[in-house]
């Protein structure tokens, strides 16, 4: 049975970089409040002509180039997003078309698990490779959350941003993804949601993200520590063997709490939340790509990826890079 190994990574952030001070000119907030509560300093916002698929394609091209793999050799595309270009078709098929490989016929689909989306997508890709159903898989997390934010609601709009990250996985005799675990608990769906829908041409409900921030904070701290422990233990590893924690980038305090629980110093954590805020499904591959391109992460090291978001849905992946 072959492993799913990371062949290459890529990412993309829109050019428009907005600071906390920029936001404080428009709403009642401050750099001091946002920095101390979340660690966020900047977020990037897509311009009116940029769609989620455009961000996804830019990240995908970077990942394919770093994997040295022609797009024609992909045999599966999975896009994790909660902000698709349209109701249908999937953003993954739009990405396939924009990469110019529609005629390859490779399957392409979206997964929607909000901020846990990349965990769900990479775990699905791993299952395809482990079962022999695919050899080269493009896994993307891409979001334009700026379009589902109420920009007058300071409790949510300062937290999120737009971006995309991508990973090319290839079948390999060498590990690879070692173990992964996904979980969900729909009883907590009211903590974080964007409850609107389009019906007969009209929006029903609110089209904006709503969140019980402190409720999410408590749940996230608890479940991320638990799933991290479970993935490490079930794989027969110890936390001391983890070279890098690559967490979902929502809040620096949540990340610090998971690292502390695992006994990892912050020197072993890839932290990018200050640069792009919470980009939902894009945040883990954005952090991963940053860690690799900056030279922090090296080949042969063990990484623990983990994320949690609306649903509630969460998961963790242990891999050898
Ligand atoms: O991927 C999962 C997605 N979400 C998350 O990970 C978010 C998890 N939750 C959090 O990160 C934190 O709960 C927040 C950063 C959202 C909020 O931090 P908090 O320490 O839980 O603050 P709070 O919601 O309890 O609000 C404290 C105060 C309130 O004022 P009062 O009622 O004490 O007078 C808020 O009105 O801070 C106020 N506040 C703000 N002040 C300045 C809320 N938002 C802002 C703001 N600027 N942007």
């Amino acid at each position: 049975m072959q492993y799913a190994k990371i062949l290459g990574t890529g990412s993309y952030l829109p050019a428009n970089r907005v600071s906390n001070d920029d936001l404080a000119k428009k709403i009642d907030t401050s750099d001091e409040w946002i920095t101390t509560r979340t660690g966020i300093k900047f977020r990037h916002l897509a311009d009116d002509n940029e769609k989620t698929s455009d961000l996804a394609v830019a990240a995908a091209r970077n990942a394919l180039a770093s994997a040295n793999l022609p797009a024609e050799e992909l045999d599966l595309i999975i896009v994790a997003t909660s902000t698709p270009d349209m109701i249908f078709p999937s953003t993954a098929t739009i990405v396939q078309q924009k990469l110019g490989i529609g005629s390859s016929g490779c399957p392409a689909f979206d997964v929607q698990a909000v901020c846990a989306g990349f965990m769900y997508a990479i775990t699905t890709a791993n299952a395809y490779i482990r079962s022999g159903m695919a050899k080269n898989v493009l896994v993307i997390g891409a979001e334009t959350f700026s379009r589902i934010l109420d920009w007058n609601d300071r409790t949510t709009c300062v937290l999120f941003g737009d971006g995309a990250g991508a990973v090319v996985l290839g079948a390999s005799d060498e590990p690879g993804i070692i173990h992964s675990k996904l979980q969900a608990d729909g009883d907590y769906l009211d903590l974080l949601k964007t409850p609107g829908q389009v019906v007969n041409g009209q929006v029903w409900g609110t089209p904006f993200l709503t969140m019980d921030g402190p409720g999410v904070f408590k749940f996230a701290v608890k479940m991320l520590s638990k799933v991290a422990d479970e993935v490490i233990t079930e794989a027969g590893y110890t936390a001391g063997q983890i070279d890098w924690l690559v967490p979902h980038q929502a809040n620096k305090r949540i990340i610090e709490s998971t690292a502390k629980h695992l006994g990892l110093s912050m020197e072993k954590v890839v932290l990018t939340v200050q640069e792009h805020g919470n980009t939902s499904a894009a945040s883990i591959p954005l952090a991963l790509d940053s860690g690799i391109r900056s030279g922090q992460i090296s080949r042969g090291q063990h990484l623990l990826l983990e994320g949690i978001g609306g649903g509630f849905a969460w998961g963790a992946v242990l891999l050898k890079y």
Side-chain angles (χ1 to χ4, degrees):
M1 202 189 279
Q2 294 208 292
Y3 288 99
K5 196 163 180 64
I6 294 179
L7 303 182
T9 62
S11 57
Y12 174 77
L13 289 168
N16 183 15
R17 186 172 183 252
V18 177
S19 70
N20 294 341
D21 286 332
D22 293 334
L23 290 183
K25 287 177 197 146
K26 294 181 182 161
I27 53 167
D28 181 16
T29 190
S30 65
D31 175 51
E32 198 268 334
W33 191 95
I34 300 170
T35 304
T36 51
R37 303 283 173 138
T38 72
I40 298 166
K41 286 284 189 189
F42 299 95
R43 70 284 298 138
H44 293 247
L45 305 182
D47 75 33
D48 289 348
N49 301 318
E50 271 183 318
K51 295 189 172 163
T52 294
S53 64
D54 296 314
L55 278 52
V57 166
R61 288 196 198 283
N62 288 340
L64 287 162
S66 84
N68 205 15
L69 189 84
E72 291 72 19
E73 289 185 30
L74 291 172
D75 41 23
L76 175 63
I77 300 172
I78 306 177
V79 175
T81 188
S82 300
T83 45
D85 285 14
M86 41 181 105
I87 293 171
F88 71 79
S90 70
T91 303
T93 57
I94 300 169
V95 167
Q96 187 202 44
Q97 185 257 340
K98 287 183 176 173
L99 287 174
I101 54 166
S103 61
S104 76
C106 79
F109 59 85
D110 291 358
V111 301
Q112 208 262 47
V114 204
C115 302
F118 193 75
M119 293 294 85
Y120 273 66
I122 197 170
T123 298
T124 305
N126 181 47
Y128 268 80
I129 290 175
R130 296 287 281 169
S131 66
M133 284 172 67
K135 276 208 166 83
N136 297 315
V137 185
L138 175 61
V139 189
I140 306 171
E143 303 281 14
T144 47
F145 258 52
S146 62
R147 294 182 181 143
I148 56 166
L149 298 174
D150 176 352
W151 285 97
N152 295 312
D153 175 8
R154 68 175 182 170
T155 68
T156 53
C157 75
V158 303
L159 304 173
F160 295 89
D162 303 334
V167 164
V168 177
L169 292 176
S172 164
D173 294 331
E174 308 275 319
I177 292 178
I178 295 162
H179 189 48
S180 76
K181 186 158 188 159
L182 300 177
Q183 296 195 297
D185 186 343
D187 286 346
Y188 289 86
L189 64 87
D190 285 331
L191 283 183
L192 175 54
K193 58 185 178 182
T194 302
Q197 61 173 153
V198 177
V199 180
N200 296 330
Q202 302 205 319
V203 177
W204 279 12
T206 169
F208 298 123
L209 180 151
T210 63
M211 178 168 72
D212 167 1
V216 170
F217 192 98
K218 278 188 223 121
F219 194 75
V221 164
K222 186 168 144 202
M223 290 312 178
L224 286 174
S225 293
K226 188 164 178 286
V227 76
D229 283 345
E230 287 167 358
V231 163
I232 292 169
T233 310
E234 287 168 15
Y237 278 64
T238 61
Q241 291 172 276
I242 306 298
D243 295 295
W244 288 101
L245 177 66
V246 188
H248 171 46
Q249 310 282 326
N251 183 311
K252 190 179 175 203
R253 290 186 296 142
I254 296 177
I255 295 170
E256 285 168 342
S257 148
T258 312
K260 190 172 170 208
H261 174 83
L262 292 171
L264 299 176
S265 79
M266 285 304 283
E267 274 82 62
K268 289 193 162 195
V269 179
V270 179
L271 192 70
T272 55
V273 69
Q274 66 282 2
E275 283 302 319
H276 52 66
N278 185 346
T279 56
S280 191
S283 91
I284 297 170
L286 269 164
L288 180 63
D289 187 51
S290 163
I292 290 169
R293 283 178 196 262
S294 68
Q296 286 175 293
I297 297 172
S298 327
R299 282 284 176 196
Q301 289 189 320
H302 286 96
L303 317 183
L304 184 71
L305 282 47
E306 42 95 340
I308 187 163
F312 252 73
W314 63 98
V317 171
L318 174 67
L319 64 88
K320 190 171 179 188
Y321 174 58

